[in-house]
Amino acid sequence: MTTYTKYLTFNTRQEHEYINITLEVAEAIEESGVKDGLVYVGSMHITSSVYINDAEDGLLQDIETWLEKLAPARPDYKHHRTGETNGDAHLKNLIMGHSVTCPITRGRLDFGPWQQIYYAEFDGQRPKRLIIKVMGE
Amino acid sequence: MTTYTKYLTFNTRQEHEYINITLEVAEAIEESGVKDGLVYVGSMHITSSVYINDAEDGLLQDIETWLEKLAPARPDYKHHRTGETNGDAHLKNLIMGHSVTCPITRGRLDFGPWQQIYYAEFDGQRPKRLIIKVMGE
Amino acid sequence: MTTYTKYLTFNTRQEHEYINITLEVAEAIEESGVKDGLVYVGSMHITSSVYINDAEDGLLQDIETWLEKLAPARPDYKHHRTGETNGDAHLKNLIMGHSVTCPITRGRLDFGPWQQIYYAEFDGQRPKRLIIKVMGE
């Protein structure tokens, strides 16, 4: 069995950003030499997510609008008593998930034609880390 | 370490359908010969989900009603500028998740008494694929 | 490859409770002897969740309030025709997820500084089980 670990760092210009990281994950799989197994891709933070969906600009705007409705930025979260102002980013993370696991077959992401891996930042403009862990043989 | 990969195809009669796939996953585990490990079960699409919950008809109707409220079918998603009309199916996928990972112990799904694995279709009436990847020993 | 399995049982005093289980997961990893791999942590029930976020009391209250808004306790769920009254707990589980997978590096959870693993009970006051499965080498 082989394991291979890689870290990425993001420092987004915007507070919210959706970054397609499919190529970076594919690269890590290639570097690992793993031909069959699983790859875990996870945010190391609690105000950003990793999810799988379509690389389509309109949809990314729809997701942003929709998340703002389901988990709105508001001044009155109890979490803000700590001095933080990012309560909504924690809740957006909970809807979208902190990580994905993906199958690897014949050395590649075993994906359908539209699956893309995204890092979704909800509290950016500072360095945030992500971990990729490949496991297989 | 052993890995074993299997694909299922669904072509639902309805646009939305909830299909219990627990037996198919159990079968794949048996075919793999893996006695201890993990099984990944994931949609290869971005408008259908795999989730774990109860096999109870009333609950399936509750889930459908609830998802329609949280991620309603609407004409005005920006994603629809591409000619698609399934913006809501992408958002329903994001709530419900694209995949599950499940534990295998003594050659079987190590589940509690009510856990069942479902494929949830939100944009059906055409062939859609799912991947099962068993990994363990 | 090594696998290691451990079960925890919770019997919460309250119907809803959020329990930090990060130390228990770290302990299971240590007991397993696995230095590099993945750990799966999953509820064996369909009315409680495992998720990753911040160990901050205000945020836990925000999550509780927010979940009650997105998936409210109501008398009229169709699931209640079975005699159950916990329809909302099933839906809360679907938002929050039934399990997490986490990376292990050098024998420890490879986490950022604020990531904590929580067991979230939405239908407690009776014994509920959770499974930890460590896999790696």
Side-chain angles (χ1 to χ4, degrees), chain A residues 52-53 115, chain B residues 10 15-21 40-52 63 67 88-100 117-124 128-131, chain C residues 94:
Chain A
I52 289 177
N53 215 289
Q115 288 181 290
Chain B
F10 302 97
E15 205 189 328
H16 289 199
E17 260 182 51
Y18 298 80
I19 302 168
N20 189 333
I21 57 171
Y40 167 92
V41 186
S43 170
M44 298 178 80
H45 296 262
I46 50 189
T47 53
S48 58
S49 288
V50 178
Y51 73 90
I52 290 177
I63 292 172
L67 284 176
D88 68 304
H90 289 271
L91 302 181
K92 287 173 170 104
N93 162 280
L94 291 173
I95 293 182
M96 298 294 280
H98 88 291
S99 71
V100 297
I117 308 172
Y118 271 83
Y119 173 78
E121 180 61 81
F122 304 121
D123 187 22
K128 308 271 287 251
R129 293 175 80 214
L130 172 141
I131 174 170
Chain C
L94 291 172

Side-chain angles (χ1 to χ4, degrees), chain A residues 1-2 35-38 51-59 61-63 65-66 69-70 95-96 100-106 110-116 135-137, chain B residues 1-5 7 38 40 43-47 69-72 74 76-82 87 90-95 98-99 101 126 129 131 133-135:
Chain A
M1 201 196 72
T2 301
K35 297 301 178 204
D36 207 291
L38 296 173
Y51 74 90
I52 289 177
N53 215 289
D54 202 354
E56 198 279 300
D57 282 345
L59 182 68
Q61 293 174 58
D62 290 330
I63 292 171
T65 305
W66 176 70
K69 199 176 152 200
L70 286 192
I95 293 182
M96 298 294 280
V100 298
T101 300
C102 312
I104 303 165
T105 308
R106 288 185 290 280
D110 201 344
F111 269 7
W114 301 281
Q115 288 181 290
Q116 300 284 322
M135 194 164 137
E137 59 181 10
Chain B
M1 201 195 72
T2 301
T3 59
Y4 178 76
T5 308
Y7 304 91
L38 296 173
Y40 167 92
S43 170
M44 298 178 80
H45 296 262
I46 50 189
T47 53
K69 199 177 152 198
L70 285 192
R74 291 167 45 164
D76 59 342
Y77 287 116
K78 292 199 165 65
H79 181 50
H80 295 177
R81 294 179 188 165
T82 61
H90 289 271
L91 302 181
K92 287 173 170 104
N93 162 280
L94 291 173
I95 293 182
H98 88 291
S99 71
T101 300
R126 53 202 174 104
R129 293 175 80 214
I131 174 170
K133 173 86 69 181
V134 186
M135 194 164 139

Side-chain angles (χ1 to χ4, degrees), chain C residues 20-90:
Chain C
N20 190 335
I21 57 169
T22 316
L23 285 176
E24 283 81 356
V25 175
E27 228 170 63
I29 294 170
E30 208 179 314
E31 289 160 13
S32 76
V34 167
K35 297 301 176 202
D36 207 292
L38 296 172
V39 57
Y40 167 91
V41 185
S43 171
M44 298 179 80
H45 296 262
I46 50 189
T47 53
S48 58
S49 289
V50 178
Y51 73 90
I52 289 177
N53 214 290
D54 202 354
E56 197 279 301
D57 282 343
L59 182 68
L60 295 179
Q61 293 174 58
D62 291 330
I63 291 172
E64 173 71 10
T65 305
W66 176 70
L67 284 176
E68 200 53 47
K69 199 177 153 198
L70 286 192
R74 290 168 46 164
D76 60 342
Y77 287 115
K78 290 196 168 65
H79 181 51
H80 296 175
R81 295 176 187 166
T82 61
E84 295 278 356
T85 56
N86 60 2
D88 68 303
H90 290 270

Side-chain angles (χ1 to χ4, degrees), chain A residues 7-123:
Chain A
Y7 305 90
L8 303 180
T9 300
F10 301 97
N11 196 338
T12 60
R13 286 195 195 173
Q14 313 291 328
E15 206 188 329
H16 289 199
E17 262 183 48
Y18 298 80
I19 302 169
N20 190 334
I21 57 170
T22 316
L23 285 176
E24 282 80 356
V25 175
E27 227 170 64
I29 294 170
E30 209 180 315
E31 290 161 11
S32 76
V34 167
K35 297 301 178 204
D36 207 291
L38 296 173
V39 56
Y40 167 91
V41 186
S43 170
M44 299 178 80
H45 296 261
I46 50 188
T47 53
S48 58
S49 288
V50 178
Y51 74 90
I52 289 177
N53 215 289
D54 202 354
E56 198 279 300
D57 282 345
L59 182 68
L60 294 179
Q61 293 174 58
D62 290 330
I63 292 171
E64 173 72 9
T65 305
W66 176 70
L67 284 175
E68 199 55 44
K69 199 176 152 200
L70 286 192
R74 290 167 46 164
D76 60 343
Y77 287 116
K78 290 198 168 63
H79 181 51
H80 296 177
R81 294 177 188 167
T82 61
E84 296 279 355
T85 57
N86 60 0
D88 68 303
H90 289 271
L91 303 181
K92 287 174 170 104
N93 162 280
L94 290 173
I95 293 182
M96 298 294 280
H98 88 292
S99 71
V100 298
T101 300
C102 312
I104 303 165
T105 308
R106 288 185 290 280
R108 301 180 67 169
L109 282 169
D110 201 344
F111 269 7
W114 301 281
Q115 288 181 290
Q116 300 284 322
I117 308 171
Y118 271 84
Y119 174 77
E121 180 61 79
F122 304 121
D123 188 22

